[in-house]
Amino acid sequence: MNMLKKQLMPKWFYQMASPKWCYKITGQLLPIFGCAALGLLLLGTVWALLFAPPDYQQGNSFRIIYIHVPSAILAQSIYITMALAGAVGIIWKMKIADMVAYACAPIGASMAFVALITGAIWGKPTWGSWWVWDARLTSMLILLFLYFGVMALYAAMGKPSKAARATAILSLVGLVNIPIIKYSVEWWNTLHQPATFTLTEKPAMPVEMWLPLLVMLIGFYCFFATSMMLRLRTEILSREKRTAWVKELVTKSSVR
C-alpha cells in the first residue's frame, strides 16, 4: 500500500513532508506572495473606492462588496484547504499537512467573521436589517462555528497528533456545509443575491465594477498564502525545536 501511494504522488509531495524543506521553500515564497498581496490589495482598494462607478440601485453602499465577496469566498476556500490537509495528514501521516490545517483555522475564522460583519453592514441599507435568518447567512454562520470548533478542539487536546486527527475528522464532516453555502440561493428562496463570480457564466456587473473585484479576490488569496506560510513556519520551528537543523538555524540567527 505504501509503495502504491508513492507511485501515485509526485516527488514534491513527499518533499513537502520534510519540515526542513518546507521551511526553506516557504521562506523563498513569502516575499513573492507578500509583495503580491500588498500590491494587489492596494490597487484593488484604490480602484474600487475611487474609480469604480456607483451601482444604479445601491449607490456607493455597494462598494463593501469589494471586501465582503473576497472574504466570503476565501473563508470557504480556506475551509476546503484545511479539510484536505487534514485528510492528507490522516492518510499519509504527514506532520506538515497537520501543521497546514492548524495554520489555516484562525485565518479562515477571521475571513468568515469579516464576511458576516460586512454582510450585515451591507444588509442594513439593502434589506433594512442587520441580520436575517437567510439560508446563505445562516450557513455562513455555521462555517464560522465550525472554525471555532476546530480551534477549540486543537486547544483542548494536548497531543498534536491526536488533535490533528480529531480536527481533521471534524473538518471533513463539516465539508457538507460548503455546497450548502454555495447553492443555498438556488435551493431556497432567499434574500441574498446569487453568486457574483461563476466559472461558467459572464459576470452580471459591467467590467468597470467586476475587474477591481477580481483584483481584490486575487489579493485576498495572496494574503492568505502569506499569512498561512508565516503561521506554518512558526509552527514548524515550535514542533521541531529539538532537531539539529532548527538548533543550527537559531545559532546562525543569534550570531547575526
Side-chain angles (χ1 to χ4, degrees):
M1 179 63 74
N2 290 334
M3 183 63 68
L4 178 60
K5 289 178 181 179
K6 290 183 178 180
Q7 291 175 349
L8 290 175
M9 303 307 297
K11 182 180 179 180
W12 62 263
F13 182 82
Y14 290 98
Q15 284 181 319
M16 286 296 292
S18 166
K20 182 179 179 180
W21 187 88
C22 186
Y23 187 86
K24 179 181 177 181
I25 196 67
T26 51
Q28 295 171 353
L29 292 174
L30 260 175
I32 300 173
F33 281 94
C35 291
L38 181 61
L40 289 169
L41 290 175
L42 183 61
L43 172 63
T45 301
V46 173
W47 194 348
L49 294 180
L50 301 181
F51 298 103
D55 185 76
Y56 76 100
Q57 287 182 320
Q58 301 178 37
N60 286 317
S61 66
F62 98 100
R63 295 184 193 277
I64 202 167
I65 194 176
Y66 295 106
I67 300 296
H68 174 71
V69 170
S71 60
I73 293 175
L74 198 60
Q76 298 170 67
S77 298
I78 294 174
Y79 191 90
I80 294 171
T81 302
M82 182 178 69
L84 292 178
V88 169
I90 291 176
I91 298 170
W92 281 277
K93 311 296 182 184
M94 288 177 61
K95 291 189 296 183
I96 288 296
D98 295 336
M99 294 182 205
V100 168
Y102 176 80
C104 284
I107 307 170
S110 300
M111 290 295 107
F113 181 75
V114 170
L116 288 168
I117 291 298
T118 53
I121 296 172
W122 193 9
K124 180 61 176 177
T126 305
W127 299 335
S129 174
W130 296 102
W131 179 268
V132 292
W133 290 102
D134 178 271
R136 173 66 65 83
L137 273 65
T138 304
S139 54
M140 198 69 191
L141 181 62
I142 291 172
L143 181 66
L144 179 60
F145 288 154
L146 284 168
Y147 275 123
F148 285 160
V150 167
M151 290 188 292
L153 199 53
Y154 266 119
M157 303 186 71
K159 194 173 181 180
S161 58
K162 290 184 178 180
R165 183 177 180 83
T167 52
I169 293 172
L170 175 60
S171 301
L172 289 168
V173 171
L175 275 177
V176 70
N177 189 50
I178 299 300
I180 294 176
I181 296 173
K182 180 174 177 56
Y183 296 107
S184 57
V185 294
E186 300 175 17
W187 292 345
W188 295 285
N189 183 23
T190 69
L191 290 173
H192 200 283
Q193 69 183 50
T196 305
F197 279 123
T198 63
L199 296 176
T200 57
E201 298 179 8
K202 183 179 178 181
M205 298 186 298
V207 66
E208 295 86 356
M209 297 171 73
W210 68 257
L211 198 54
L213 181 57
L214 180 60
V215 171
M216 288 293 288
L217 180 60
I218 299 172
F220 265 69
Y221 272 104
C222 290
F223 170 77
F224 160 62
T226 304
S227 302
M228 189 274 289
M229 285 189 287
L230 284 171
R231 288 183 53 81
L232 176 60
R233 285 165 62 82
T234 302
E235 190 63 19
I236 289 173
L237 293 179
S238 175
R239 296 195 191 188
E240 301 292 311
K241 59 186 176 182
R242 292 183 177 86
T243 60
W245 73 270
V246 172
K247 291 179 180 179
E248 183 182 352
L249 185 67
V250 171
T251 302
K252 288 181 179 179
S253 300
S254 300
V255 171
R256 291 176 185 174

